[in-house]
Amino acid sequence: MKFGCTIIFLLALLVSITNAIVYNPEIISPNEGSKWRAGETYTVQWSPMISGQSIPEEIKGTIMLGYLEDGSMNENLHWILAKDFRLSSGAQSITLPSDLETKTSYIIVVMGNSGNASAKFTIRASRS
């Protein structure tokens, strides 16, 4: 009986560890030197690997746009740019809203079951 309980406990532990993997990929682009323009289309790129393992095909992602302000921890994530794409793809095309103001403190956050923010980068207002 003790052996059976031990096996069940170990299986439950294994399942919980598997479910505890955090998918927050490293963002490759945009980076600190990126200069994007409001209203235009770009490709957000990230690493499709987490701790040396490929992100499973069934994990879906969301890309959000925000900005940082001096003295605040708030990421101001006001815009969803893409959702329900395969995080394992490593890239997703997005179109920026056309009404963004020029800032040098924008960030992209790629989320799986957690989020990872890019370095701050520049978005210039549209040319309209």
Side-chain angles (χ1 to χ4, degrees):
M1 182 70 172
K2 241 182 169 178
F3 180 71
C5 290
T6 302
I7 295 282
I8 290 171
F9 173 77
L10 289 175
L11 286 173
L13 181 62
L14 181 61
V15 167
S16 67
I17 289 171
T18 301
N19 290 334
I21 296 173
V22 175
Y23 299 104
N24 60 345
E26 176 188 356
I27 299 171
I28 299 166
S29 177
N31 56 46
E32 193 173 348
S34 298
K35 290 181 175 45
W36 290 2
R37 174 85 57 190
E40 295 188 9
T41 299
Y42 298 91
T43 300
V44 175
Q45 295 178 297
W46 59 89
S47 172
M49 307 283 283
I50 302 290
S51 299
Q53 301 292 319
S54 295
I55 297 174
E57 293 286 320
E58 67 273 9
I59 302 297
K60 301 293 184 186
T62 299
I63 296 175
M64 298 188 75
L65 175 68
Y67 58 89
L68 301 175
E69 295 178 310
D70 288 337
S72 174
M73 301 267 307
N74 189 350
E75 293 180 325
N76 298 293
L77 299 173
H78 299 297
W79 303 273
I80 296 174
L81 302 180
K83 63 182 181 176
D84 296 328
F85 55 87
R86 287 187 177 152
L87 207 54
S88 61
S89 68
Q92 177 67 37
S93 178
I94 56 98
T95 300
L96 295 174
S98 59
D99 61 348
L100 297 173
E101 354 175 313
T102 298
K103 288 185 191 290
T104 59
S105 60
Y106 282 103
I107 57 169
I108 288 285
V109 174
V110 176
M111 295 192 218
N113 58 359
S114 183
N116 200 9
S118 70
K120 292 189 291 187
F121 70 102
T122 301
I123 296 178
R124 296 180 296 235
S126 68
R127 296 179 189 179
S128 57

